Amino acid sequence: MRSSTKTLVYAYLATLVVGTVGWSIASLTGLGHWYFALAVMSALALLVTFRKELSPAVSTAIFLSSTAVIMACVSWQTYLVAAAGRWSAVAFAGYKLTALAVAFVAPVPVWGAYLVIALCALNPTVQTLLASSEIRANYPQSEPWVSIVYAMVAFFVLRHRLRENELARKVSALEGERRTIEHVAQIFLGLRDLTNTPLQSITTTAWLLKRGHVTPTEAAEHLDSALVQLRELSEILKTYEHEVDYRPTDHAFDAVKFLQEKLAHMKPPKSD
Amino acid sequence: MTCIMFVDDCDDLRSLFRRAFERELGIEVLALRSLSEVKKHEKEVLNCSAAILDINLGAGEPSGVDIHDWLKAQAYKGSIFFFTGHGKESPMVQKAAKTQVPILEKPMAPADLISIIKGSLS
């Protein structure tokens, strides 16, 4: 099952369970919708407390279920007030607040946030259009347009926040890449330092040998000593061999060309 | 007799360059490994006509730049050269570059190094 489908199933089940339990408590005790909301929030708090690490699917399910319950409450409450013949200036206020809250919190996954904002525009519209003329008369004349405007503002705020997050993510990735390159460059500097002294010893030994300034035995001793230093370096590098992810095509390669290609890709990213 | 100083923390390199300079230039070589040894041989050091200083003399040890500063403080009159295997970006090498002393890079052809020292002696 795809992750998004799984999330929707979780959200549906959570809404069903939390909504039924909360609604039952509210009906049985004769308490109002505030107590119902309290029951819903308590159930969610318990769920979050007992799950130490919530997977994205579960946390999205909680987010969708809680907003679904809030939207159901708001629709029902708005209808009850209008049906009772009372005019309310704050009809559908819950939808407006939900849309703005979602835009500022910018939950993950993004489709969940867009879905809730779309419902915050759609539900008041449908509820207004389907209402009888008596009920409609008790809704503000400006509805559902105000709810739609709130949802649109929420949509743009969310979009802006998501772009900002994406930009921050890219900057962070570039910074990480820059640090890695700096780290690798430092390793290369260390390698260069470790190899240059034994190389100087080898070069000088060969030169002295050619000019007859050292005996072959003395030269061999100096070369051995230089090779010990190079072997130490090889041992250090050997411990990292298993970290390399070899590809099936990596049978034989030109080491010099390989290094040149890898180093060419290591140019630090430009920071604008 | 003309004398030069060669400071490096690698025992082999000290031994090899002592041999190279002595045989090729017929001069005396004071081969030392640290600032403390340089200070211990202060009199001989200040008589040297040239000093070749490795920059990195080991962890926790004063660097070749410190030896340069000490030599200058003692009013040393001979030529000074830094000799290093570190890249130019290394902070120690950058510090050395500020002294305006020539920096020679390892590995270097011994003939070239001898030629440079010979030039400075003449």
Side-chain angles (χ1 to χ4, degrees):
Chain A
M1 198 187 291
R2 281 181 62 201
S3 173
S4 54
T5 318
K6 205 188 275 181
T7 306
L8 282 175
V9 171
Y10 285 154
Y12 176 73
L13 291 174
T15 311
L16 213 61
V17 173
V18 175
T20 309
V21 171
W23 195 261
S24 306
I25 292 169
S27 307
L28 286 172
T29 55
L31 298 170
H33 60 280
W34 291 112
Y35 293 93
F36 171 59
L38 188 67
V40 171
M41 296 316 290
S42 305
L44 287 174
L46 282 173
L47 184 66
V48 171
T49 308
F50 285 105
R51 290 291 297 261
K52 281 183 183 169
E53 283 182 18
L54 290 173
S55 67
V58 172
S59 54
T60 310
I62 291 173
F63 160 71
L64 289 177
S65 64
S66 54
T67 47
V69 172
I70 289 166
M71 284 193 276
C73 284
V74 171
S75 285
W76 185 238
Q77 184 64 21
T78 305
Y79 171 76
L80 286 180
V81 169
R86 297 203 307 270
W87 185 85
S88 171
V90 290
F92 304 114
Y95 280 110
K96 296 172 187 113
L97 291 174
T98 302
L100 292 177
V102 167
F104 284 109
V105 174
V108 174
V110 178
W111 63 261
Y114 282 127
L115 177 69
V116 170
I117 289 175
L119 288 174
C120 286
L122 195 67
N123 286 1
T125 307
V126 171
Q127 193 170 341
T128 308
L129 291 176
L130 295 182
S132 63
S133 54
E134 293 82 26
I135 300 282
R136 176 76 184 83
N138 288 325
Y139 291 156
Q141 286 297 310
S142 54
E143 288 297 344
W145 303 113
V146 175
S147 293
I148 291 171
V149 168
Y150 267 83
M152 281 174 70
V153 169
F155 169 79
F156 286 117
V157 170
L158 175 66
R159 216 175 135 194
H160 173 72
R161 279 184 59 80
L162 291 172
R163 282 193 177 176
E164 209 173 42
N165 289 353
E166 178 64 12
L167 193 67
R169 196 190 60 74
K170 280 183 183 168
V171 169
S172 169
L174 280 174
E175 179 61 17
E177 204 178 322
R178 192 190 64 76
R179 281 188 189 169
T180 306
I181 289 171
E182 198 177 285
H183 183 65
V184 173
Q186 282 172 348
I187 292 173
F188 276 114
L189 275 178
L191 289 176
R192 197 174 157 212
D193 183 46
L194 281 172
T195 51
N196 282 343
T197 297
L199 279 177
Q200 183 67 68
S201 294
I202 293 168
T203 313
T204 312
T205 304
W207 186 79
L208 287 170
L209 192 61
K210 272 186 211 161
R211 299 178 75 87
H213 294 328
V214 286
T215 63
T217 312
E218 284 174 320
E221 280 169 10
H222 286 300
L223 291 177
D224 271 347
S225 178
L227 289 173
V228 165
Q229 291 175 52
L230 290 175
R231 257 188 233 113
E232 277 173 12
L233 175 64
S234 175
E235 288 300 318
I236 293 170
L237 296 176
K238 204 187 275 182
T239 54
Y240 294 95
E241 268 179 9
H242 66 277
E243 300 291 338
V244 180
D245 186 18
Y246 286 106
R247 289 167 299 176
T249 50
D250 291 341
H251 296 307
F253 63 95
D254 178 342
V256 174
K257 197 176 166 194
F258 173 81
L259 270 178
Q260 281 171 342
E261 280 174 6
K262 291 286 172 190
L263 289 171
H265 284 98
M266 255 184 52
K267 295 256 167 71
K270 284 179 188 170
S271 51
D272 295 325
Chain B
M1 191 180 188
T2 310
C3 172
I4 65 162
M5 174 171 70
F6 184 82
V7 184
D8 201 297
D9 59 334
C10 174
D11 299 340
D12 266 302
L13 221 48
R14 284 202 309 277
S15 162
L16 289 164
F17 274 113
R18 170 185 276 163
R19 182 77 61 97
F21 287 121
E22 283 175 352
R23 296 288 171 92
E24 287 293 317
L25 300 178
I27 56 173
E28 196 180 326
V29 179
L30 191 58
L32 306 171
R33 65 167 299 140
S34 62
L35 176 61
S36 59
E37 282 193 10
V38 170
K39 285 180 178 174
K40 209 182 285 177
H41 296 84
E42 182 178 347
K43 201 177 163 191
E44 299 97 301
V45 166
L46 296 178
N47 278 331
C48 288
S49 308
I52 304 164
L53 311 172
D54 181 20
I55 293 178
N56 180 15
L57 294 170
E61 285 291 327
S63 69
V65 183
D66 295 319
I67 297 178
H68 163 272
D69 295 344
W70 182 85
L71 288 172
K72 288 288 170 191
Q74 309 308 310
Y76 174 73
K77 295 280 187 288
S79 315
I80 302 177
F81 299 90
F82 285 122
F83 193 40
T84 184
H86 283 265
K88 284 176 188 164
E89 298 300 318
S90 155
M92 272 191 300
V93 177
Q94 290 195 345
K95 197 178 167 191
K98 285 181 188 161
T99 63
Q100 305 296 319
V101 164
I103 299 172
L104 309 173
E105 282 189 36
K106 291 180 192 172
M108 185 176 197
D112 292 343
L113 181 60
I114 286 169
S115 162
I116 290 168
I117 297 302
K118 198 175 174 181
S120 79
L121 294 177
S122 62

